mmCIF file of all heavy atoms in Angstrom:
data_model
loop_
_atom_site.group_PDB
_atom_site.id
_atom_site.type_symbol
_atom_site.label_atom_id
_atom_site.label_comp_id
_atom_site.label_asym_id
_atom_site.label_seq_id
_atom_site.Cartn_x
_atom_site.Cartn_y
_atom_site.Cartn_z
ATOM 1 N N TYR H 116 -36.274 -88.084 32.176
ATOM 2 C CA TYR H 116 -36.634 -88.414 33.533
ATOM 3 C C TYR H 116 -37.470 -87.260 34.162
ATOM 4 O O TYR H 116 -38.504 -87.470 34.791
ATOM 5 C CB TYR H 116 -35.407 -88.724 34.378
ATOM 6 C CG TYR H 116 -35.806 -88.825 35.854
ATOM 7 C CD1 TYR H 116 -36.175 -90.071 36.299
ATOM 8 C CD2 TYR H 116 -35.752 -87.758 36.621
ATOM 9 C CE1 TYR H 116 -36.589 -90.254 37.636
ATOM 10 C CE2 TYR H 116 -36.173 -87.915 37.966
ATOM 11 C CZ TYR H 116 -36.502 -89.117 38.486
ATOM 12 O OH TYR H 116 -36.911 -89.262 39.853
ATOM 13 N N MET H 117 -36.978 -86.010 34.043
ATOM 14 C CA MET H 117 -37.657 -84.869 34.634
ATOM 15 C C MET H 117 -38.994 -84.766 34.008
ATOM 16 O O MET H 117 -39.983 -84.384 34.711
ATOM 17 C CB MET H 117 -36.793 -83.587 34.402
ATOM 18 C CG MET H 117 -35.451 -83.644 35.171
ATOM 19 S SD MET H 117 -35.552 -83.924 36.936
ATOM 20 C CE MET H 117 -36.154 -82.320 37.469
ATOM 21 N N ARG H 118 -39.170 -84.931 32.750
ATOM 22 C CA ARG H 118 -40.487 -84.818 32.115
ATOM 23 C C ARG H 118 -41.452 -85.898 32.726
ATOM 24 O O ARG H 118 -42.642 -85.635 33.042
ATOM 25 C CB ARG H 118 -40.446 -84.972 30.664
ATOM 26 C CG ARG H 118 -39.985 -83.783 29.910
ATOM 27 C CD ARG H 118 -40.265 -84.078 28.385
ATOM 28 N NE ARG H 118 -39.759 -82.924 27.703
ATOM 29 C CZ ARG H 118 -38.992 -82.916 26.647
ATOM 30 N NH1 ARG H 118 -38.716 -84.111 26.132
ATOM 31 N NH2 ARG H 118 -38.650 -81.838 26.115
ATOM 32 N N SER H 119 -40.989 -87.119 32.870
ATOM 33 C CA SER H 119 -41.833 -88.173 33.223
ATOM 34 C C SER H 119 -42.089 -88.124 34.737
ATOM 35 O O SER H 119 -43.105 -88.828 35.182
ATOM 36 C CB SER H 119 -41.280 -89.564 32.903
ATOM 37 O OG SER H 119 -40.082 -89.865 33.578
ATOM 38 N N HIS H 120 -41.356 -87.454 35.523
ATOM 39 C CA HIS H 120 -41.546 -87.322 36.964
ATOM 40 C C HIS H 120 -41.907 -85.991 37.488
ATOM 41 O O HIS H 120 -41.677 -85.667 38.625
ATOM 42 C CB HIS H 120 -40.216 -87.901 37.683
ATOM 43 C CG HIS H 120 -40.082 -89.406 37.543
ATOM 44 N ND1 HIS H 120 -39.515 -89.880 36.344
ATOM 45 C CD2 HIS H 120 -40.342 -90.344 38.337
ATOM 46 C CE1 HIS H 120 -39.428 -91.198 36.540
ATOM 47 N NE2 HIS H 120 -39.968 -91.522 37.706
ATOM 48 N N ARG H 121 -42.376 -85.151 36.567
ATOM 49 C CA ARG H 121 -42.703 -83.785 37.003
ATOM 50 C C ARG H 121 -43.849 -83.844 38.017
ATOM 51 O O ARG H 121 -44.611 -84.819 38.025
ATOM 52 C CB ARG H 121 -42.917 -82.909 35.852
ATOM 53 C CG ARG H 121 -44.048 -83.280 34.997
ATOM 54 C CD ARG H 121 -44.229 -82.373 33.840
ATOM 55 N NE ARG H 121 -45.108 -82.894 32.829
ATOM 56 C CZ ARG H 121 -45.113 -82.555 31.553
ATOM 57 N NH1 ARG H 121 -44.302 -81.639 31.174
ATOM 58 N NH2 ARG H 121 -45.930 -83.045 30.731
ATOM 59 N N HIS H 122 -44.017 -82.678 38.716
ATOM 60 C CA HIS H 122 -44.959 -82.730 39.819
ATOM 61 C C HIS H 122 -46.269 -82.110 39.449
ATOM 62 O O HIS H 122 -46.882 -81.232 40.159
ATOM 63 C CB HIS H 122 -44.373 -81.868 41.017
ATOM 64 C CG HIS H 122 -43.027 -82.460 41.405
ATOM 65 N ND1 HIS H 122 -42.916 -83.654 42.073
ATOM 66 C CD2 HIS H 122 -41.770 -81.927 41.291
ATOM 67 C CE1 HIS H 122 -41.622 -83.927 42.401
ATOM 68 N NE2 HIS H 122 -40.961 -82.869 41.959
ATOM 69 N N ARG H 123 -46.808 -82.557 38.326
ATOM 70 C CA ARG H 123 -48.123 -82.264 37.859
ATOM 71 C C ARG H 123 -48.290 -80.722 37.704
ATOM 72 O O ARG H 123 -49.447 -80.195 37.776
ATOM 73 C CB ARG H 123 -49.237 -82.750 38.802
ATOM 74 C CG ARG H 123 -49.142 -84.234 39.007
ATOM 75 C CD ARG H 123 -49.809 -84.891 37.810
ATOM 76 N NE ARG H 123 -49.862 -86.335 37.930
ATOM 77 C CZ ARG H 123 -48.986 -87.140 37.457
ATOM 78 N NH1 ARG H 123 -48.075 -86.734 36.678
ATOM 79 N NH2 ARG H 123 -49.133 -88.435 37.641
ATOM 80 N N ASP H 124 -47.269 -79.905 37.553
ATOM 81 C CA ASP H 124 -47.353 -78.512 37.400
ATOM 82 C C ASP H 124 -47.063 -77.978 36.053
ATOM 83 O O ASP H 124 -46.958 -76.765 35.871
ATOM 84 C CB ASP H 124 -46.552 -77.795 38.544
ATOM 85 C CG ASP H 124 -45.098 -78.088 38.474
ATOM 86 O OD1 ASP H 124 -44.674 -78.843 37.571
ATOM 87 O OD2 ASP H 124 -44.421 -77.638 39.348
ATOM 88 N N ASP H 125 -46.733 -78.919 35.145
ATOM 89 C CA ASP H 125 -46.460 -78.525 33.689
ATOM 90 C C ASP H 125 -45.316 -77.571 33.641
ATOM 91 O O ASP H 125 -45.356 -76.714 32.815
ATOM 92 C CB ASP H 125 -47.743 -78.009 33.035
ATOM 93 C CG ASP H 125 -48.774 -79.035 32.892
ATOM 94 O OD1 ASP H 125 -48.465 -80.266 32.595
ATOM 95 O OD2 ASP H 125 -49.965 -78.724 32.970
ATOM 96 N N VAL H 126 -44.336 -77.676 34.468
ATOM 97 C CA VAL H 126 -43.252 -76.708 34.499
ATOM 98 C C VAL H 126 -42.355 -76.947 33.261
ATOM 99 O O VAL H 126 -41.842 -76.037 32.682
ATOM 100 C CB VAL H 126 -42.408 -76.933 35.758
ATOM 101 C CG1 VAL H 126 -41.107 -76.062 35.741
ATOM 102 C CG2 VAL H 126 -43.225 -76.473 37.032
ATOM 103 N N LEU H 127 -42.173 -78.226 32.914
ATOM 104 C CA LEU H 127 -41.217 -78.526 31.798
ATOM 105 C C LEU H 127 -41.894 -78.320 30.437
ATOM 106 O O LEU H 127 -43.043 -78.733 30.338
ATOM 107 C CB LEU H 127 -40.687 -79.909 31.915
ATOM 108 C CG LEU H 127 -39.913 -80.248 33.201
ATOM 109 C CD1 LEU H 127 -39.516 -81.645 33.229
ATOM 110 C CD2 LEU H 127 -38.643 -79.322 33.152
ATOM 111 N N VAL H 128 -41.288 -77.662 29.581
ATOM 112 C CA VAL H 128 -41.805 -77.508 28.142
ATOM 113 C C VAL H 128 -40.903 -78.306 27.191
ATOM 114 O O VAL H 128 -40.091 -78.978 27.657
ATOM 115 C CB VAL H 128 -41.829 -75.961 27.835
ATOM 116 C CG1 VAL H 128 -42.775 -75.254 28.699
ATOM 117 C CG2 VAL H 128 -40.449 -75.461 27.839
#
Side-chain angles (χ1 to χ4, degrees):
Y116 172 87
M117 297 302 288
R118 280 194 184 136
S119 66
H120 290 80
R121 62 183 165 200
H122 303 293
R123 302 283 182 258
D124 57 4
D125 294 324
V126 175
L127 297 175
V128 296

